[in-house]
Amino acid sequence: MAIPNMQIPSRQLFIDGEWREPVKKNRLPVINPATEEIIGYIPAATAEDVDIAVKAARRAHGRNGWGSTTGAQRAKFLRAIAAKVLEKRPELATLETIDNGKPWFEAASDIDDVVACFEYYADLAEALDSKNKTEVKLHLDSFKTHVYKEPLGVVGLITPWNYPLLMTTWKVAPALAAGCAAVLKPSELASITSLELGEICREVGLPPGALNILTGLGHEAGSPLVSHPDVDKIAFTGSGPTGIKIMTAAAQLVKPVTLELGGKSPIVVFDDIPNIDIAVEWTLFGCFWTNGQICSATSRLIIQDTIASQFLDRLLEWTKNIKISDPLEEDCKLGPVISRGQYEKVLKLISTAKNEGATILYGGERPQHLKKGYYIQPTIITDVDTSMEIWKEEVFGPVLCVKTFKTEEEAIELANDTKYGLGAAILSKDLDRCERFTKAFQSGIVWINCSQPCFWQPPWGGKKRSGFGRELGEWSLENYLNIKQVTQYVSDEPWAFYKSPSKL
């Protein structure tokens, strides 16, 4: 498919089903990470805009509004959104690429997942109609109880820049499926496709206020959204430090939060792998996919010492073969990181690792053939000690650090030697061993003989400092539902707790 040549659409804030200029009329530049050029502008919301959007969402969710629709009614809108996204797939993928820097074929694959995700939650929305009055068996015949599932209310959704439209969909689709009205605040570093979702919602006739989209800076738009008293829940994906601030602010109102934060995930490779090239490719994919900017990246390679030399030689050959180019070029497999700030952060972490005594086996700098853009070679770092920053801290770039092990016990200890707990992978033909590691990994996700495959049906989330709560699957829908107990006294007999007054 030919990649379309795109201009950035000029949008405002999407509030109450309309495009509205920010109250303070501020705008932020959009910088293409492949060229470092300003390619457009997005509106910058402030607390005043947040208040307007939350009020619109509250009206939409009110009596006889979006919150009182049936699941079947909501499903029609979700499927209409999916169809419109599919229709605009080439354009959306291109906007994603020039905004975010990921290779175009990856962006296009993300758009396919967006379509599937909206369709999946349309099915779950329909199924809610038969589940929202589930009987609970009691030990007393004089009572009947059922559980009623209702939308939680107005929800604030804050999404990251590494999967702009897909991460938006992970939150918007289940929130709308549940009947919540939402205010979305995407990352200011990659907001274009989230704004286009607003246009799609307008085109399909989504009721005004059901979804509102505010672009802008975190401290100007995100913080007021979190602390707004009329927002019933916050769902956030992003960095640990920001997650801590959100928890602190939400706690003041005893507001529930779902947090999907950072990671420093291990990939453990044993010497019984049947095919070294298959294992090498999964190792590369687990760390360098999405330009290394993925919270679940298996960026700590823990490899059995008996095959370490052979494995690293082959890993080096594969890494040198990765095409690094403008992400709109055909067969590009590694594009630029998102911004100058991220570029400088990644290079500093690599430099610190070298200064601490680690060896830069490959990469660690700008590719020589690319003079502009925030490009960093895929980087492999060996001679790593567990006290080093590169072992402990999330890089969020194409950087893989390596340690060896001798025994299973040592491998488990190294794998769990992190404050994070999002993902973990094991590569071995011994399935009993894989089961032992599945139980031993301190993580929310385990991959066996692969790394990073992600589907919309199973749950996604972590433990420790990777956050709590689950997205995707039926678990995500539950995030946006209030579970209400309804108990009815059905006996004709008096309750007889108090002594009846004498009859006159």
Side-chain angles (χ1 to χ4, degrees):
M1 176 182 290
I3 298 174
N5 185 21
M6 292 286 298
Q7 297 292 320
I8 302 298
S10 180
R11 301 291 186 202
Q12 300 290 356
L13 304 175
F14 187 68
I15 300 176
D16 210 14
E18 299 176 349
W19 295 110
R20 294 193 180 193
E21 186 175 39
V23 169
K24 293 186 176 179
K25 298 180 170 54
N26 295 339
R27 296 186 78 79
L28 299 171
V30 176
I31 298 174
N32 184 339
T35 64
E36 304 182 40
E37 296 174 349
I38 295 175
I39 55 175
Y41 293 86
I42 57 170
T46 56
E48 295 85 350
D49 304 298
V50 170
D51 191 56
I52 294 169
V54 171
K55 287 177 178 175
R58 182 60 64 189
R59 288 193 302 271
H61 186 265
R63 186 181 296 272
N64 300 321
W66 179 252
S68 61
T69 55
T70 66
Q73 290 171 326
R74 298 192 294 273
K76 291 180 180 179
F77 287 105
L78 294 176
R79 292 196 179 100
I81 292 170
K84 188 63 70 172
V85 170
L86 181 60
E87 178 186 317
K88 298 186 177 187
R89 176 182 184 266
E91 294 81 8
L92 290 171
T94 301
L95 290 173
E96 198 93 304
T97 295
I98 61 180
D99 192 19
N100 165 276
K102 66 171 58 187
W104 188 89
F105 85 95
E106 285 191 32
S109 178
D110 288 351
I111 302 305
D112 291 336
D113 283 352
V114 167
V115 173
C117 202
F118 271 109
E119 291 176 341
Y120 174 76
Y121 282 104
D123 292 341
L124 291 190
E126 284 183 330
L128 268 180
D129 289 339
S130 62
K131 294 179 179 178
N132 69 355
K133 200 173 181 180
T134 304
E135 185 178 355
V136 178
K137 295 295 184 182
L138 302 175
H139 66 290
L140 294 176
D141 294 336
S142 53
F143 294 92
K144 284 187 177 180
T145 292
H146 68 268
V147 169
Y148 181 72
K149 295 185 177 183
E150 62 184 5
L152 199 56
V154 174
V155 294
L157 313 175
I158 304 176
T159 55
W161 45 258
N162 56 335
Y163 289 84
L165 188 55
L166 185 56
M167 293 292 99
T168 285
T169 301
W170 280 21
K171 290 176 170 55
V172 168
L176 292 181
C180 291
V183 180
L184 168 70
K185 211 299 280 184
S187 168
E188 63 272 18
L189 294 178
S191 299
I192 296 174
T193 50
S194 293
L195 286 172
E196 292 312 292
L197 179 61
E199 178 62 13
I200 287 171
C201 290
R202 191 188 66 80
E203 291 176 1
V204 303
L206 186 72
L211 176 62
N212 307 273
I213 304 172
L214 306 179
T215 52
L217 300 173
H219 67 280
E220 293 183 347
S223 293
L225 179 61
V226 172
S227 59
H228 200 291
D230 283 335
V231 173
D232 300 302
K233 176 191 171 66
I234 295 292
F236 170 75
T237 297
S239 71
T242 303
I244 291 170
K245 291 178 182 178
I246 287 173
M247 277 192 71
T248 302
Q252 309 311 306
L253 297 170
V254 198
K255 184 180 300 185
V257 296
T258 299
L259 300 177
E260 202 264 78
L261 307 176
K264 192 71 177 177
S265 301
I267 181 167
V268 180
V269 181
F270 280 88
D271 61 6
D272 65 345
I273 50 173
N275 187 307
I276 194 168
D277 278 344
I278 291 175
V280 163
E281 185 176 12
W282 278 119
T283 300
L284 293 180
F285 186 76
C287 187
F288 298 153
W289 181 44
T290 310
N291 305 337
Q293 300 171 133
I294 180 169
C295 51
S296 58
T298 41
S299 57
R300 293 184 299 132
L301 170 60
I302 301 168
I303 185 165
Q304 198 156 22
D305 57 356
T306 48
I307 61 164
S309 178
Q310 178 191 6
F311 192 91
L312 287 176
D313 286 345
R314 196 62 179 147
L315 186 70
L316 198 58
E317 293 174 3
W318 274 73
T319 302
K320 291 177 179 178
N321 199 44
I322 294 173
K323 181 178 178 179
I324 312 169
S325 68
D326 186 304
L328 291 174
E329 283 189 19
E330 188 176 0
D331 293 330
C332 172
K333 292 298 188 291
L334 191 74
V337 296
I338 186 70
S339 66
R340 177 167 295 280
Q342 189 67 17
Y343 174 80
E344 292 174 351
K345 174 195 169 186
V346 174
L347 290 180
K348 183 179 179 181
L349 284 165
I350 294 170
S351 176
T352 299
K354 187 176 180 180
N355 292 337
E356 289 179 338
T359 299
I360 311 302
L361 184 65
Y362 183 78
E365 55 191 23
R366 170 187 289 277
Q368 292 184 357
H369 66 288
L370 294 166
K371 305 304 180 186
K372 287 186 176 182
Y374 307 125
Y375 294 93
I376 299 173
Q377 292 174 308
T379 302
I380 302 171
I381 302 178
T382 58
D383 301 316
V384 173
D385 187 84
T386 57
S387 64
M388 293 179 180
E389 188 177 23
I390 199 69
W391 177 263
K392 293 182 174 182
E393 299 302 323
E394 183 178 40
V395 176
F396 229 65
V399 179
L400 178 71
C401 60
V402 184
K403 276 195 71 62
T404 61
F405 71 90
K406 293 182 181 295
T407 66
E408 279 194 17
E409 291 73 19
E410 185 183 2
I412 290 170
E413 184 177 352
L414 287 169
N416 290 334
D417 181 32
T418 173
K419 62 188 176 184
Y420 297 107
L422 185 51
I426 176 171
L427 275 58
S428 171
K429 72 175 182 181
D430 185 339
L431 295 184
D432 289 335
R433 171 189 286 150
C434 292
E435 182 65 19
R436 289 194 294 275
F437 271 73
T438 295
K439 294 176 180 178
F441 281 140
Q442 296 171 2
S443 66
I445 304 159
V446 175
W447 295 291
I448 296 174
N449 290 323
C450 59
S451 179
Q452 302 308 316
C454 181
F455 307 94
W456 50 90
Q457 299 96 335
W460 180 275
K463 60 188 298 187
K464 300 198 287 189
R465 294 198 189 180
S466 289
F468 50 83
R470 292 296 180 266
E471 294 196 298
L472 299 180
E474 295 184 11
W475 296 267
S476 187
L477 190 67
E478 295 293 330
N479 286 336
Y480 302 101
L481 292 171
N482 179 50
I483 309 302
K484 181 180 286 183
Q485 179 208 133
V486 181
T487 296
Q488 178 182 1
Y489 186 56
V490 295
S491 173
D492 293 330
E493 299 297 320
W495 182 229
F497 181 78
Y498 298 104
K499 185 176 180 181
S500 176
S502 300
K503 293 183 180 180
L504 295 177

